[in-house]
Amino acid sequence: MPTKRQILQGSVVVGTLSLVGSVTGILVETAIAAKLGMSARSDVFYVAYTLPYVITSLLSATGQFSLVPFFASIETSGKREDLARGFSYAMNVGAAGLTATALLGAAAAPWLMRGIAPGLTPVQLGTATELARWLFFVIVPAGVGEVLRSFLLSRQSFALPSAAGFFRNAAVIAGVVLGFHRFGYYSLVIGYFAGHLLQVAVLAAKIAISFPVRYSPVVRGGGEPFRNLRGAGAAQLGVAVGWQAVVVVERIIASFLPAGALTALNWGLKIMSTMAELVAGSIGTSALPGLSRAAARKEVAEQRRIFHNTLELALVLVAPLVVFCLELPRPIIRLIFQRGSFTPAATSEMASVFFFYSLSLLLYSALRVLAFQLFARQEGTNYFRISILQFALTAGFDLLYVGVLRMGPKGIPLAMVTSLALTATWAYRKNLCDLRSIVDHALRLFFAKNLLGAALAAASVAGLEFFFPAPATGLSNFSYLVATCSVGSGVFFATLFALKAISLSQFRTVGGDSSQE
């Protein structure tokens, strides 16, 4: 079973390669921003891509939660033919279901677009409808790719599945940069199709070379692993429907806000969730095979130990990110977006939205780690309950903050942090995954030490901001961010070392032998 060192080593592999994918993912938005700016034109595209993006995001965020435990459970039987059958079943059922969803979405696109963004003009809605009809079919290769990625992760092959996003995003960037002048909006459609197909080809080649499994047209399966997979799939379908309802509510609200607000909210959420996925998602991905095997073998103490270690590692890596996002939102947004049609005024507006979304980063990451534990324990029903609670609270606070209190675009990210806080409190009170025993005195003390380190890091960054003027050029902006984040990180980790929350040996051995603790 994985030790804390092994989880950290795996998360370093996942995190490092995911970083490449995350950076190129942000560059996709940078390329789009340079062509469309933050305007009514960009709003049209993001309205069209709303539901396909939600589905593909849910596939990548939750597909491994059901599929990695599924493959791990089958593996415990020791029969290669069972694993091949499970792989074929997941491929066939996933592809068939997503194809049906894509056909339904394309047929209903006119009504969906009007429902999502009633504040757009008829011409804008017509353009969004045509784009959406094509974009819905992106979900099919995205789903196939997630099955392939989850199979590799279940075999503890972390490198290529973590780097697969790079191939997808590189193709999208190439489509926008090389094709926008000729194809306009449709260069984005071409790029997304090419990217997901390339990702499928790379992952399939890896499986064929390293883990050959015999494919068959299986669409039925029996036994406990298949029953658990269907239960997890039903939970994820329910969560997908719930999340789409929230997205529709937020798009309806944003379509009545000033032009560009919808785009700003989309980008703010995407950057924040990308950071959480890069850290908490990487650590959880590294821990999930071990959690799943411990659950399959009914090793309760081992599961608790792995989950406790996962929470500690996630906290150490997320805390300084929260500090930098809250203290340096304008330099961060300027670095990512300010070029081409993206003006300094747009940077100021986007920085404000990003600041408020960053308030959710720690809570979002914590619930992300909790999701890994829920699915490792085959508790899809609890995942459904906690997700639907969060979505309902988010939609309710969206309407309160924006519709009633007139807080403008910042009301939507504030609704998110409020709903996450209440959801996390509910999860603790309901003792999901034995949280009350996991969040013991040692973990609370560890959190307090991290909080002190974050406070000192924030003070050091604030001091640098006071003594050094705001950067005037793109290069100086980059240098400024590197310097301030380096100093803040140094103060944060020095504090943890001084308080003996972490030790140098934990980091020295990340690249060494993981067979000993």
Side-chain angles (χ1 to χ4, degrees):
M1 289 299 168
T3 63
K4 183 186 291 188
R5 183 188 307 169
Q6 289 171 317
I7 295 172
L8 183 57
Q9 286 177 321
S11 67
V12 167
V13 173
V14 175
T16 301
L17 295 174
S18 295
L19 176 61
V20 178
S22 298
V23 169
T24 53
I26 297 300
L27 290 177
V28 168
E29 307 304 329
T30 302
I32 296 173
K35 300 297 183 183
L36 299 178
M38 196 169 76
S39 62
R41 294 177 68 206
S42 60
D43 287 351
V44 167
F45 171 73
Y46 285 111
V47 165
Y49 195 37
T50 294
L51 296 183
Y53 174 74
V54 167
I55 295 171
T56 55
S57 296
L58 282 169
L59 288 171
S60 63
T62 63
Q64 63 182 325
F65 292 156
S66 54
L67 290 170
V68 172
F70 171 66
F71 293 133
S73 297
I74 292 178
E75 186 184 6
T76 59
S77 71
K79 297 180 181 179
R80 179 174 295 182
E81 58 270 21
D82 288 346
L83 188 60
R85 185 179 182 186
F87 173 79
S88 300
Y89 174 85
M91 287 282 289
N92 296 333
V93 172
L98 290 170
T99 299
T101 302
L103 289 169
L104 181 62
W111 299 276
L112 292 172
M113 295 305 101
R114 282 197 289 270
I116 291 172
L120 298 187
T121 66
V123 173
Q124 291 173 324
L125 286 173
T127 303
T129 297
E130 291 302 315
L131 289 170
R133 282 176 170 151
W134 289 103
L135 287 167
F136 264 109
F137 288 94
V138 170
I139 69 175
V140 180
V144 172
E146 185 55 34
V147 175
L148 299 173
R149 196 174 77 92
S150 297
F151 179 81
L152 288 170
L153 290 173
S154 74
R155 310 296 291 176
Q156 295 186 308
S157 175
F158 296 121
L160 196 59
S162 303
F166 165 76
F167 300 101
R168 179 190 66 239
N169 295 330
V172 179
I173 294 169
V176 175
V177 173
L178 301 177
F180 189 85
H181 179 71
R182 181 175 180 180
F183 299 108
Y185 281 124
Y186 287 93
S187 65
L188 280 73
V189 177
I190 294 169
Y192 277 107
F193 267 109
H196 282 288
L197 290 172
L198 178 60
Q199 180 177 258
V200 167
V202 170
L203 294 173
K206 172 64 176 177
I207 291 174
I209 294 169
S210 302
F211 306 103
V213 290
R214 181 177 297 177
Y215 170 81
S216 60
V218 175
V219 293
R220 298 180 65 183
E224 185 177 358
F226 289 87
R227 288 193 296 271
N228 289 334
L229 177 62
R230 285 190 283 268
Q236 291 187 42
L237 178 61
V239 169
V241 172
W243 179 238
Q244 287 187 20
V246 174
V247 170
V248 169
V249 170
E250 293 188 341
R251 290 294 188 266
I252 291 171
I253 294 171
S255 71
F256 291 102
L257 294 173
L262 189 152
T263 301
L265 291 166
N266 175 75
W267 283 336
L269 176 59
K270 187 172 291 187
I271 297 171
M272 185 277 293
S273 60
T274 296
M275 289 183 175
E277 180 63 28
L278 180 63
V279 179
S282 297
I283 293 170
T285 297
S286 176
L288 184 58
L291 286 169
S292 300
R293 288 181 176 85
R297 296 166 181 165
K298 312 298 183 184
E299 297 172 347
V300 176
E302 182 66 12
Q303 257 205 316
R304 288 179 178 173
R305 185 189 65 80
I306 297 172
F307 186 37
H308 190 282
N309 290 342
T310 304
L311 286 172
E312 285 191 350
L313 292 172
L315 179 59
V316 168
L317 298 178
V318 170
L321 276 182
V322 175
V323 171
F324 304 143
C325 290
L326 292 177
E327 294 226 37
L328 304 166
R330 185 178 175 85
I332 291 172
I333 297 303
R334 182 179 180 183
L335 176 67
I336 297 171
F337 290 114
Q338 192 172 309
R339 58 188 54 83
S341 299
F342 201 93
T343 64
T347 295
S348 297
E349 182 179 348
M350 182 70 226
S352 174
V353 170
F354 177 61
F355 171 86
F356 288 105
Y357 266 121
S358 297
L359 295 171
S360 297
L361 182 54
L362 185 61
L363 287 168
Y364 186 95
S365 299
L367 290 177
R368 181 83 172 108
V369 171
L370 178 62
F372 283 94
Q373 174 73 330
L374 284 169
F375 276 100
R377 291 160 58 109
Q378 306 286 0
E379 294 183 13
T381 301
N382 281 333
Y383 174 73
F384 175 80
R385 292 168 62 194
I386 194 172
S387 299
I388 294 302
L389 174 63
Q390 179 200 334
F391 299 160
L393 289 171
T394 299
F397 283 111
D398 282 335
L399 295 172
L400 174 64
Y401 291 158
V402 181
V404 178
L405 300 180
R406 305 292 181 184
M407 298 179 70
K410 69 181 180 182
I412 290 180
L414 286 175
M416 184 175 192
V417 68
T418 305
S419 68
L420 287 171
L422 293 174
T423 302
T425 302
W426 179 85
Y428 181 80
R429 290 178 63 86
K430 291 294 183 180
N431 198 31
L432 296 187
C433 299
D434 299 321
L435 275 176
R436 292 181 184 175
S437 63
I438 297 296
V439 185
D440 53 11
H441 174 73
L443 187 59
R444 288 193 291 269
L445 180 60
F446 187 79
F447 177 82
K449 292 177 180 179
N450 276 264
L451 186 62
L452 177 59
L456 294 176
S460 66
V461 171
L464 289 174
E465 288 184 285
F466 178 79
F467 286 107
F468 294 96
T473 65
L475 180 60
S476 62
N477 183 72
F478 174 75
S479 301
Y480 178 80
L481 278 173
V482 170
T484 51
C485 292
S486 296
V487 170
S489 298
V491 171
F492 175 77
F493 285 105
T495 303
L496 295 190
F497 287 136
L499 296 174
K500 297 183 179 179
I502 58 177
S503 64
L504 287 172
S505 62
Q506 290 176 311
F507 290 87
R508 281 200 303 265
T509 56
V510 168
D513 181 15
S514 62
S515 62
Q516 300 174 359
E517 177 64 5

